[in-house]
């Protein structure tokens, strides 16, 4: 699994259907998470990644040091599925998404990831709609953006 985590002062996601957009999830202070699921990912990946994200100390304390987690600041987490995080452009200019898990695998892991975030934060997780055309709006606070990959823990 791969996540792009952004510290935000606000974020929302709209689902676009028949030329109209409906807000399906929104938060104020917290984390905006774009989540990609790769072939071979497991429930253990979802749990590890959720724990890592909830524990990230990327909010500033009183000394203006990034030392607080989303829980410490009573923030929220908004999650949006993003299969394009596994886009491969090694050959040519059109991305290949062969590494992205198929919906029958990705949807349950996406849901497991959100359930784990809810368990860890004791808060409902607003989210986008898997496979839908969406608009994501956010104000990146900092900006602070972190990339986490369950198969490449060095980044």
């Amino acid at each position: 699994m791969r996540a792009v985590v952004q510290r935000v002062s606000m974020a929302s996601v709209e689902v676009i259907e028949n030329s109209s957009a409906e807000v399906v999830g929104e938060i104020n202070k917290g984390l905006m998470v774009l989540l990609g699921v790769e072939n071979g990912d497991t429930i253990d990946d979802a749990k590890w990644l959720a724990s890592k994200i909830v524990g990230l100390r990327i909010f500033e304390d009183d000394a203006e040091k990034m030392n607080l987690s989303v829980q410490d600041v009573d923030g929220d987490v908004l999650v949006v599925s993003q299969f394009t995080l596994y886009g491969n452009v090694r050959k040519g200019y059109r991305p290949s998404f062969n590494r992205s898990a198929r919906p029958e695998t990705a949807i349950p892991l996406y849901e497991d990831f959100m359930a784990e975030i809810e368990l860890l934060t004791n808060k409902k997780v607003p989210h986008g709609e898997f496979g839908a055309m969406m608009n994501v709006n956010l104000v990146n606070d900092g900006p602070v953006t972190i990339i986490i990959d369950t198969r490449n823990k060095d980044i």
Side-chain angles (χ1 to χ4, degrees), residues 2-153:
R2 183 173 291 162
V4 175
V5 181
Q6 296 179 295
R7 185 178 77 185
V8 298
S9 56
M10 66 77 55
S12 66
V13 59
E14 303 171 323
V15 171
I16 304 165
E17 192 172 322
N18 299 327
S19 300
S20 65
E22 176 187 354
V23 174
V24 295
E26 60 186 330
I27 63 170
N28 288 312
K29 184 176 192 169
L31 300 174
M32 167 71 210
V33 178
L34 301 174
L35 180 72
V37 180
E38 185 178 15
N39 291 321
D41 283 342
T42 67
I43 184 71
D44 290 336
D45 292 313
K47 288 181 175 185
W48 180 88
L49 186 59
S51 176
K52 182 61 86 171
I53 289 171
V54 168
L56 278 178
R57 296 178 357 182
I58 60 173
F59 291 89
E60 293 180 351
D61 62 16
D62 291 337
E64 298 183 353
K65 300 288 184 197
M66 285 199 290
N67 202 29
L68 302 174
S69 71
V70 69
Q71 289 178 293
D72 296 329
V73 299
D74 195 31
D76 294 306
V77 180
L78 174 67
V79 178
V80 175
S81 63
Q82 187 76 44
F83 78 93
T84 60
L85 291 179
Y86 285 104
N88 181 329
V89 293
R90 267 182 270 186
K91 295 181 182 178
Y93 295 95
R94 180 175 300 170
S96 166
F97 301 107
N98 293 342
R99 291 177 54 192
S100 299
R102 306 252 331 126
E104 55 272 14
T105 301
I107 291 171
L109 288 172
Y110 171 69
E111 291 171 349
D112 290 340
F113 171 81
M114 291 187 298
E116 189 69 15
I117 295 277
E118 287 182 355
L119 181 70
L120 294 168
T121 62
N122 200 30
K123 287 186 168 190
K124 186 80 176 138
V125 173
H127 56 85
E129 182 180 314
F130 192 95
M133 179 61 77
M134 294 176 277
N135 288 331
V136 177
N137 302 293
L138 62 98
V139 176
N140 194 322
D141 180 21
V144 174
T145 303
I146 306 290
I147 300 169
I148 305 171
D149 192 308
T150 59
R151 295 196 191 173
N152 182 3
K153 295 180 173 125

